[in-house]
Amino acid sequence: MALTTSLNTFLARIGARQAPTQPNPDYFPYLELKGPAPGPHIFITAGIHGDEAAGIITVHELLKLLETTPLLSGKLSIIPCCNPQALAARTRHHPTSKQDLNRLFPGSKKATHALLLAHAIYRKVEKARPDLLIDIHNDWYNSVPYAIINEESDYKSPLTYKKSLHMAQLLNLPVVSEDLTQPHHAGLEKSLSGYASLQGGIPALTLEAGGSPIVSEYDVEIAVQILTNLLQKLGMVGPQPAFSSTVPKAYLGQVLEYASCPPPKVAGIIRYRALAGQLVEAGQTLAEIFSPSGELLQTITTQQKALVLGHADEPYVTPKTDIYALALPPSSK
Ligand SMILES: [Zn+2]
């Protein structure tokens, strides 16, 4: 059924409660679903970055599925689209202040729209105090789904780390640990899942659920499976089609260290020689860069054995382009 045509009617039918629409720029939809028996409380958010619409569609599809597979226990709190203005502007950042909403939590009652929005979202999460917060994001088009948590030493509460890790491992995905000292991860202590879990004591993870440039039907289907498989493991829904990752089994449920790939030394047309989900050995070719006349300008190789989480969407790169996301195997930690 078309969720978009009649969201409120649909939500009413599956017993969800939606906040009334408010005519202000900080409005975001919020809904709650309750099973008949007590159980875990899961809070799901999507669309913090306006150019990641697939996560929002994933939530819509999850809601549709819950119409025929009702919640058996527990509670779901959901913000399907955290940043409607950025979505409409088709930008990662909030369109008025140009701030990245996912570096602003817990927000503020003053100043920019983005800070106010972060404040309003975080208040919902804080008030709910769920057993798990899952913040859905989308990565490059060519990427495998993975979960992100933080380094154990960055958590105020060791128990919150334990719970976050346990939930991340239940997803049966690679679990990438964010090292906040790396320039690549600067400011992520103020991401929604970062702040909630590190400072707020709320178990949380970021789910990178496939590509962002378009809504990939394949990625949406996989992301829904990942979520429903988790709900099944928590006893919140009945049996679900099993999700199986394309990543080698030894990497699933394992905490992996994020590794960046050396940036290109030249500008040119890139041919990606290693694909998402693939294991690469030290010295293996990751990519080749060519001039418009066909001359091979650079071959980029890996420095160590790694799992390819994804590669960039750009066909033409410069020395500033981030081209690969890699994760180091558990044994190298
Ligand atoms: Zn994102």
Side-chain angles (χ1 to χ4, degrees), residues 194-262:
Y195 189 85
S197 58
L198 299 179
Q199 298 300 322
I202 295 167
L205 58 91
T206 296
L207 173 61
E208 290 288 354
S212 63
I214 59 165
V215 177
S216 152
E217 296 301 328
Y218 173 78
D219 286 344
V220 167
E221 195 181 323
I222 294 292
V224 171
Q225 277 184 12
I226 291 168
L227 293 172
T228 53
N229 276 231
L230 175 70
L231 298 182
Q232 182 193 331
K233 284 177 188 168
L234 295 173
M236 296 173 72
V237 294
Q240 298 298 312
F243 159 72
S244 75
S245 172
T246 55
V247 167
K249 274 197 174 63
Y251 287 69
L252 300 175
Q254 295 291 334
V255 180
L256 310 173
E257 193 182 337
Y258 189 90
S260 51
C261 162

Side-chain angles (χ1 to χ4, degrees), residues 37 43 115-116 188 191-192 200 235:
F43 202 121
L115 276 161
L116 284 163
L188 279 167
S191 70
L192 177 55

Side-chain angles (χ1 to χ4, degrees), residues 95-241:
T96 55
S97 59
K98 315 292 182 207
Q99 287 169 299
D100 183 339
L101 184 59
N102 211 30
R103 304 289 185 277
L104 297 180
F105 290 94
S108 148
K109 275 183 174 172
K110 299 180 208 155
T112 64
H113 277 146
L115 276 161
L116 284 163
L117 188 54
H119 178 73
I121 292 166
Y122 192 69
R123 278 201 59 184
K124 288 264 186 231
V125 174
E126 202 177 29
K127 201 175 157 206
R129 291 212 71 80
D131 298 301
L132 174 68
L133 165 72
I134 302 178
D135 186 31
I136 305 175
H137 285 255
N138 297 107
D139 207 331
W140 290 317
Y141 189 73
N142 204 302
S143 60
V144 289
Y146 58 99
I148 302 174
I149 59 169
N150 286 90
E151 300 261 319
E152 186 172 5
S153 56
D154 290 327
Y155 289 76
K156 244 171 129 180
S157 149
L159 187 62
T160 310
Y161 169 73
K162 265 191 166 178
K163 287 182 177 174
S164 302
L165 175 61
H166 172 67
M167 290 291 193
Q169 287 176 324
L170 284 182
L171 295 174
N172 210 24
L173 296 173
V175 180
V176 177
S177 161
E178 261 169 7
D179 177 356
L180 296 173
T181 61
Q182 280 192 22
H184 200 80
H185 294 154
L188 279 167
E189 68 278 7
K190 288 191 160 191
S191 70
L192 177 55
S193 72
Y195 189 85
S197 58
L198 299 179
Q199 298 300 322
I202 295 167
L205 58 91
T206 296
L207 173 61
E208 290 288 354
S212 63
I214 59 165
V215 177
S216 152
E217 296 301 328
Y218 173 78
D219 286 344
V220 167
E221 195 181 323
I222 294 292
V224 171
Q225 277 184 12
I226 291 168
L227 293 172
T228 53
N229 276 231
L230 175 70
L231 298 182
Q232 182 193 331
K233 284 177 188 168
L234 295 173
M236 296 173 72
V237 294
Q240 298 298 312

Side-chain angles (χ1 to χ4, degrees), residues 49 52 92 137-138:
H49 291 135
E52 297 172 16
R92 175 181 173 89
H137 285 255
N138 297 107

